[in-house]
Amino acid sequence: MQTRHTPTGAVTDLSGRIQRDSEGRLQHLITLEGLSRDELNALLDLAQFYVRAVGDLPARDQSLAGHTVANLFFEPSTRTRVSFELAARRLGAEVVNLDMQSSSRVKGETVLDTIYTLQAMHADILVMRDAEPGLPAFVARQVAPHVCILNAGEAHLSHPTQGLLDALTIRQARPDFSQLRVLIAGDIAHSRVARSAWHALTTLGVGELRIAAPEGLMPTEGEFARAVRFSDIDAAIEGVDVIMALRIQRERIMHSQIPDEATYHRTFGITAERLRRAHPDVIVMHPGPMNRDVEIASEVADGPRSMIQRQVTNGVAVRMAVLATIVRNVQARRQF
Ligand code: NCD
């Protein structure tokens, strides 16, 4: 596979071009890189249309009637997989979830052969999560023109629907992005959530973006352009309006220079005491799964400033918006 050893920047740049059809419409969603502010806002507006309060019946329509969505998760997932499934069903699609532990990949079948098999069964929207950088873009180049690839988490690089749901959650609480100070804290180096949030928030014109990571978990200098870097969490948190806490991605870390959990919590965790340094109306977010009392204190995660459940609710609405948009673009292409 050509992209396998391509440096990070080239992989994502390539993905940005590959996700559009010849008319420039989104056919796939592989990265938020290259989406304009208008495109992001259109997706967020549509997602907002699909948001319902918990306790109300969820939004439903038939935008995906006749379509088949296949979920291929080669890495663990709870929120993302379930929310893609619910989003697709609520838009009237048929959904299949491949159990990757018992799929033919473990028997040596290539990912592409699995994809072609699904394509031959009329699955036309393939939602993929994998640890390999560049895989969604590689697959997008091989599938038939009516098939859409949605990236549900690509290595440490990209998690576009998470970036959108994070932007939507912030927009609901603080609509004026130009005034905002946003802090992303934790294992930035290995986080696709941080990278997609950075793409979304910089394009949407956030006032100041800070990243804070302990030694060994800070990304290289070439990445996160214009973000203000902090190694001290107490300094980073000073006056911020939004805090996004991240899990340490132990599964992506080869060396073992990360501190033990208690030390990490003491030196870098988002605690109630540290929160007092932020703006009084600060909101706290976490993509899940959380390691309670490691990167975030339980009393903060469950406290009044926490938006963590709201993020989950928004996740379904965002995935509905992405699915509906992609299918509308396929239909527009067919009418041409
Ligand atoms: C994240 C992921 O898988 O990238 N979770 C998610 O999608 N909600 C973050 C993580 O695993 O820490």
Side-chain angles (χ1 to χ4, degrees):
M1 193 176 102
Q2 200 199 340
T3 49
R4 190 168 295 185
H5 302 293
T6 319
T8 301
V11 168
T12 53
D13 179 50
L14 200 65
S15 314
R17 278 185 283 119
I18 281 163
Q19 63 189 349
R20 293 181 189 276
D21 65 18
S22 55
E23 301 294 317
R25 287 178 290 241
L26 281 181
Q27 176 181 353
H28 313 285
L29 185 63
I30 294 169
T31 173
L32 295 181
E33 192 170 4
L35 266 68
S36 68
R37 189 180 292 195
D38 285 351
E39 283 178 307
L40 291 178
N41 275 322
L43 285 166
L44 298 183
D45 291 345
L46 185 55
Q48 187 60 50
F49 167 80
Y50 284 126
V51 173
R52 296 290 183 277
V54 173
D56 290 350
L57 289 176
R60 286 180 194 276
D61 67 34
Q62 288 298 307
S63 309
L64 261 70
H67 292 271
T68 301
V69 176
N71 279 322
L72 292 97
F73 281 67
F74 298 101
E75 277 192 330
S77 175
T78 307
R79 275 150 288 268
T80 308
R81 199 201 58 71
V82 173
S83 63
F84 261 113
E85 176 170 357
L86 288 176
R89 287 190 194 282
R90 287 173 186 168
L91 295 176
E94 237 169 10
V95 181
V96 286
N97 293 303
L98 276 80
D99 176 2
M100 298 329 288
Q101 299 310 311
S102 59
S103 80
S104 300
R105 195 171 176 188
V106 295
K107 296 187 193 167
E109 184 174 70
T110 68
V111 178
L112 263 190
D113 284 332
T114 307
I115 301 277
Y116 289 145
T117 301
L118 289 164
Q119 189 174 282
M121 293 180 186
H122 290 269
D124 52 356
I125 302 169
L126 308 179
V127 180
M128 297 184 53
R129 168 173 286 196
D130 198 272
E132 178 157 343
L135 190 66
F138 171 73
V139 170
R141 267 182 297 175
Q142 317 297 325
V143 291
H146 68 281
V147 173
C148 307
I149 303 298
L150 302 183
N151 180 358
E154 172 190 5
H156 62 292
L157 284 179
S158 175
H159 193 352
T161 55
Q162 181 72 41
L164 288 169
L165 80 86
D166 288 338
L168 181 64
T169 307
I170 297 173
R171 196 177 84 161
Q172 288 166 345
R174 304 276 182 279
D176 185 1
F177 274 41
S178 67
Q179 300 302 316
L180 283 188
R181 280 189 244 185
V182 178
L183 166 65
I184 310 180
D187 179 6
I188 314 279
H190 304 96
S191 175
R192 54 195 176 205
V193 175
R195 285 177 178 79
S196 286
W198 176 76
H199 280 136
L201 296 176
T202 49
T203 305
L204 291 167
V206 85
E208 185 183 325
L209 190 63
R210 301 179 182 180
I211 56 174
E215 210 193 319
L217 300 179
M218 188 64 99
T220 56
E221 285 296 329
E223 287 194 280
F224 292 87
R226 295 190 305 281
V228 189
R229 293 171 180 244
F230 290 82
S231 53
D232 174 12
I233 189 69
D234 292 302
I237 226 167
E238 206 67 57
V240 293
D241 305 286
V242 179
I243 301 170
M244 298 172 63
L246 298 175
R247 182 177 70 88
I248 302 177
Q249 307 274 302
R250 291 186 189 274
E251 67 275 29
R252 299 189 209 290
I253 302 175
M254 303 298 169
H255 53 88
S256 57
Q257 43 165 271
I258 27 174
D260 64 80
E261 296 191 342
T263 309
Y264 188 85
H265 189 62
R266 190 166 35 75
T267 56
F268 226 84
I270 308 299
T271 60
E273 195 191 335
R274 289 204 165 102
L275 211 55
R276 285 197 272 277
R277 295 172 176 268
H279 188 282
D281 294 331
V282 66
I283 59 167
V284 180
M285 297 163 54
H286 192 301
M290 269 187 286
N291 287 317
R292 286 174 174 269
D293 301 319
V294 183
E295 70 271 10
I296 187 166
S298 259
E299 61 174 324
V300 174
D302 302 330
R305 313 305 326 154
S306 172
M307 293 288 139
I308 296 171
Q309 296 304 320
R310 175 87 65 87
Q311 286 173 272
V312 178
T313 302
N314 286 338
V316 180
V318 155
R319 285 159 187 135
M320 290 173 84
V322 167
L323 287 164
T325 301
I326 294 284
V327 162
R328 201 176 53 209
N329 291 346
V330 170
Q331 283 158 357
R333 224 170 23 248
R334 279 199 176 123
Q335 276 156 20
F336 236 79

